[in-house]
Amino acid sequence: MAMLLAGAAVMLACAAAMTVLCSAADPYAFFDWNVGYIKAAPLGVEQQVISINGKFPGPVVNVTTNWNVVVNVLNSLDEPLLITWEGVQQRKNSWQDGVLGTNCPIPAGWNWTYQFQVKDQVGSFFYFPSINLQRASGGFGGFTINNREIIPVPFDTPHGDITLFIGDWFNKNHTDLRTELDQGKTLGVPDGVVINGKGPYRYNDTLVPAGIEYETINVQPGQTYRLRVHNVGIFTCLNFRIQSHNLLLAETEGSYTVQQNYTNLDIFVGQSYSFLVTMDQNASSDYYIVASARFVNGSKWDRVVGVAILHYSNSKGKASGPLPDPPNDFYDKTYSMNQARSIRWNVSASGARPNPQGSFRYGSINVTQVYVLKNKPPVLINGKLRATLNGISYSSPETPLRLADQYDKRGIYQLDFPTRPDAVSPKIATSIINGTYRGFMEIVFQNNDTRVQSYHLDGYSFFVVGMDYGEWTENSRGTYNKWDGVARSTIQVYPGAWTAILVSLDNVGTWNLRSEDLDSWYLGQETYISVVNPEGTNRTELPVPDNALYCGVLKDMQKPQSPHAQGSDSSSTIPTGSFFLLAVMMFWASLPDVNEVAFILFYLLFYQMLLTLVFGHSFMETDISIDRIPFRCLFFFVWLDGL
């Protein structure tokens, strides 16, 4: 027994050493997610929603710049699943982007492990299921990337950090909404707005039935909090405001902004903002937090309002009375556009690196490619209702584009996406953009639909340089902001208007460019930008991961996988405090009345904890791929198994 205990002590010392060796300079954060269905009633009607580890919304991923993130996703849905990471750039690593152009879906009952580094990024982002309209049923959560301690933040440390998910919501689940779109119908007016997966506070007895659970944000008087607000909805722009409180805008989608106060802000689908809110009121009662529909009319939209409660610790009563006023006209697009133009980049603040954000002089770079992308209202193509960009409705092939490139499979897609809209009949095609590596691309979104749209580009932040009404022309460049246009990844385009962005194509991979409105995206309003380094070096793109899933023409390469047990609600960061628990286990094993069977159990538990500590996985899991285990750690496990 003494010799075994001595061996255990050696193992403990080696565990401490190997934790440092295996994590190298940048820590790892591990997460096990079980994505499945639960019953919930956000608006008072019970329905099936998508949860993560039984939670709706899912957990917030809270990491720091340059950390490595490992997320083991178990698909407990009854259909395929992919998770994408809105705004997380996946530098050199589009393999982890979680969209159909780069990944085969995770089959029902299977699990797949994402592994990526949040390289040179800070800010507020979110994740969500990217296929089959699943985000309309949930599955979303926050993704916060903090500054390293050595990098200054352009404001004092807030007293607290609060994440809010706002979005329009239907009482039908995503499969019912999908069926309606497949039948050529529009989705109509949402049933309401949810905030953090909960319905509205009963501010109006007629519009809000009794018994609906609502969100309450508890705060301390006099303190300042950072509120990260994400519009994770389906297609509705929401005006966000807090009764009697100013919203000091500080960051959006990874860029620090010029700090200015707003009484309300329009947040479009897919967008994320950070506000600094000081609790400077007298707390005579609680205060309303409101997210209400914009650019709509008709009494049916009166119920599309989300209301949460801001509760001071010294509050003297419940909130009552009318909601804080929205902008004067729900359909006033000019007010909203002027508000959007006022959001500027803080060019003197450091970002993820210790240098000013504005040191990248984007206004002096020569544009090498120009794409004008025009959308129109959905049209019938081959008898199906479809949405288009430049007359093309994108069709996702069974084989992901990036995998097709990797294995030289021809004919999966065409690099012929038109640079300008033309008069040809709309068509369904797998047509993508051929981006020039290290080129500087100008993209103009022209919205000829009657509804506001928002567009997102994976893999990058782009500079928002201009927006206006009418048709974009070459002369429109004279109005561009070439100095402090904010860098972000999702931007709105007003109906009958255009928005121009500039993007530096320095991230090799295949990147999704899409409408963030779920119905437009589902009906084909997307494409991809292929960015290839002609030198073909691994220094600009990571190799295909060993655990890659294969489908389409590559399906024969897929190794079989049996359905797995349900994942646990767990996350860990290396280093951790697990050594204390290991020490307690060793003390227990040293007691004189512990028999050999009990010690064997101790040894197994120790082995389990050691694997979890060093790699974030248990010895029972079968999907640990060799690329996730640093080679120097293998020698340690050979020694351990020989004890």
Side-chain angles (χ1 to χ4, degrees), residues 28-32 70 72 570 572 574 608-618 621 624 628:
Y28 279 74
F30 295 93
F31 304 89
D32 283 315
V70 183
N72 183 42
S570 63
S572 61
I574 294 176
Q608 157 76 23
M609 288 193 63
L610 191 57
L611 280 170
T612 302
L613 175 66
V614 179
F615 301 118
H617 286 271
S618 72
E621 289 182 338
I624 300 178
R628 295 176 50 210

Coordinates of all heavy atoms in Angstrom, one line a residue, residues 28-32 70 72 570 572 574 608-618 621 624 628:
Y28 N -6.6 26.2 -21.9 CA -7.7 25.5 -22.5 C -8.9 25.6 -21.7 O -8.8 25.5 -20.4 CB -7.4 24.0 -22.8 CG -6.5 23.7 -24.0 CD1 -5.2 24.0 -24.0 CD2 -7.1 23.1 -25.1 CE1 -4.4 23.7 -25.1 CE2 -6.3 22.9 -26.2 CZ -4.9 23.2 -26.2 OH -4.1 22.9 -27.3
A29 N -10.1 25.8 -22.3 CA -11.3 25.8 -21.6 C -12.2 24.7 -22.2 O -12.4 24.7 -23.5 CB -12.1 27.1 -21.7
F30 N -12.7 23.7 -21.4 CA -13.4 22.6 -21.9 C -14.9 22.7 -21.5 O -15.2 23.0 -20.4 CB -12.8 21.3 -21.3 CG -11.4 21.0 -21.8 CD1 -10.3 21.5 -21.0 CD2 -11.1 20.3 -22.9 CE1 -9.0 21.2 -21.4 CE2 -9.8 20.1 -23.3 CZ -8.8 20.5 -22.6
F31 N -15.7 22.3 -22.5 CA -17.2 22.3 -22.2 C -17.8 21.0 -22.8 O -17.4 20.6 -23.9 CB -17.8 23.5 -22.9 CG -17.2 24.8 -22.5 CD1 -16.1 25.4 -23.1 CD2 -17.7 25.5 -21.4 CE1 -15.6 26.6 -22.7 CE2 -17.2 26.7 -21.0 CZ -16.1 27.2 -21.7
D32 N -18.7 20.4 -22.1 CA -19.4 19.2 -22.5 C -20.9 19.7 -22.7 O -21.5 20.1 -21.7 CB -19.3 18.0 -21.6 CG -18.0 17.3 -21.7 OD1 -17.6 17.1 -22.9 OD2 -17.4 17.0 -20.7
V70 N -12.5 24.1 -26.3 CA -12.9 22.8 -26.7 C -14.3 22.5 -26.3 O -14.6 22.5 -25.1 CB -11.9 21.7 -26.1 CG1 -12.2 20.3 -26.6 CG2 -10.5 22.1 -26.4
N72 N -17.3 19.8 -26.6 CA -17.8 18.5 -27.0 C -19.3 18.5 -27.1 O -20.0 18.7 -26.1 CB -17.3 17.4 -26.1 CG -17.7 16.0 -26.5 OD1 -17.7 15.7 -27.7 ND2 -18.2 15.2 -25.6
S570 N -21.0 20.3 -17.8 CA -19.7 20.5 -17.2 C -18.9 21.4 -18.1 O -19.0 21.5 -19.2 CB -18.9 19.2 -17.0 OG -18.7 18.6 -18.3
S572 N -14.6 23.2 -17.7 CA -13.4 23.3 -16.9 C -12.4 24.1 -17.6 O -12.4 24.2 -18.8 CB -12.8 21.9 -16.5 OG -12.4 21.2 -17.7
I574 N -8.1 24.8 -17.5 CA -6.8 24.4 -17.0 C -5.9 25.6 -16.9 O -5.8 26.4 -17.8 CB -6.2 23.4 -18.0 CG1 -7.0 22.1 -18.1 CG2 -4.7 23.1 -17.7 CD1 -6.5 21.1 -19.1
Q608 N -9.4 8.9 -13.8 CA -10.5 9.7 -14.4 C -10.3 11.2 -14.2 O -10.3 12.0 -15.2 CB -11.8 9.3 -13.8 CG -12.9 10.4 -13.9 CD -13.5 10.5 -15.3 OE1 -13.4 9.5 -16.0 NE2 -14.1 11.6 -15.6
M609 N -10.0 11.6 -13.0 CA -9.8 13.1 -12.7 C -8.5 13.6 -13.4 O -8.5 14.7 -13.9 CB -9.7 13.3 -11.2 CG -11.0 13.2 -10.5 SD -10.9 13.8 -8.8 CE -10.5 15.5 -9.2
L610 N -7.5 12.8 -13.5 CA -6.3 13.2 -14.2 C -6.5 13.5 -15.7 O -6.1 14.5 -16.2 CB -5.2 12.1 -14.0 CG -3.8 12.5 -14.4 CD1 -3.3 13.8 -13.6 CD2 -2.8 11.4 -14.2
L611 N -7.3 12.6 -16.3 CA -7.6 12.8 -17.7 C -8.4 14.1 -17.9 O -8.2 14.8 -18.8 CB -8.3 11.6 -18.3 CG -7.5 10.4 -18.7 CD1 -8.4 9.2 -19.0 CD2 -6.6 10.7 -19.9
T612 N -9.4 14.2 -17.0 CA -10.2 15.4 -17.1 C -9.4 16.7 -16.8 O -9.6 17.7 -17.5 CB -11.4 15.3 -16.1 OG1 -12.1 14.1 -16.3 CG2 -12.3 16.5 -16.2
L613 N -8.5 16.6 -15.9 CA -7.7 17.7 -15.5 C -6.8 18.2 -16.7 O -6.7 19.3 -17.0 CB -6.9 17.4 -14.3 CG -5.8 18.5 -13.8 CD1 -6.6 19.7 -13.4 CD2 -4.9 17.9 -12.7
V614 N -6.1 17.2 -17.3 CA -5.2 17.5 -18.3 C -5.8 17.7 -19.7 O -5.4 18.6 -20.4 CB -4.1 16.4 -18.4 CG1 -3.1 16.7 -19.5 CG2 -3.4 16.2 -17.1
F615 N -6.9 16.9 -20.0 CA -7.4 17.0 -21.3 C -8.9 17.4 -21.4 O -9.5 17.6 -22.4 CB -7.3 15.7 -22.1 CG -5.9 15.3 -22.2 CD1 -5.4 14.1 -21.6 CD2 -5.0 16.0 -22.9 CE1 -4.1 13.7 -21.7 CE2 -3.6 15.7 -23.0 CZ -3.2 14.5 -22.4
G616 N -9.6 17.4 -20.2 CA -11.0 17.8 -20.2 C -11.9 16.6 -20.6 O -13.0 16.8 -21.0
H617 N -11.4 15.4 -20.7 CA -12.1 14.2 -21.1 C -12.0 13.1 -20.1 O -11.0 12.9 -19.5 CB -11.7 13.8 -22.5 CG -12.1 14.7 -23.6 ND1 -13.3 14.5 -24.2 CD2 -11.5 15.8 -24.1 CE1 -13.4 15.5 -25.1 NE2 -12.4 16.3 -25.1
S618 N -13.0 12.2 -20.1 CA -12.9 11.1 -19.2 C -12.3 9.9 -20.0 O -12.3 9.8 -21.2 CB -14.3 10.7 -18.7 OG -15.1 10.2 -19.7
E621 N -14.7 8.2 -22.7 CA -15.0 8.7 -24.0 C -14.2 8.1 -25.1 O -13.0 7.7 -24.9 CB -14.8 10.2 -23.9 CG -15.9 10.9 -23.1 CD -15.7 12.4 -23.1 OE1 -14.6 12.9 -23.4 OE2 -16.7 13.1 -22.8
I624 N -11.5 11.0 -28.4 CA -10.3 11.8 -28.2 C -9.4 11.6 -29.3 O -8.8 10.5 -29.5 CB -9.6 11.4 -26.8 CG1 -10.5 11.6 -25.7 CG2 -8.3 12.2 -26.7 CD1 -9.9 11.2 -24.3
R628 N -5.5 16.3 -30.5 CA -5.8 17.1 -29.3 C -4.9 16.7 -28.1 O -5.1 17.2 -27.0 CB -7.3 16.9 -28.9 CG -8.2 17.4 -30.0 CD -9.6 17.1 -29.6 NE -9.9 17.5 -28.2 CZ -10.8 16.9 -27.5 NH1 -11.5 15.9 -27.9 NH2 -11.0 17.3 -26.2

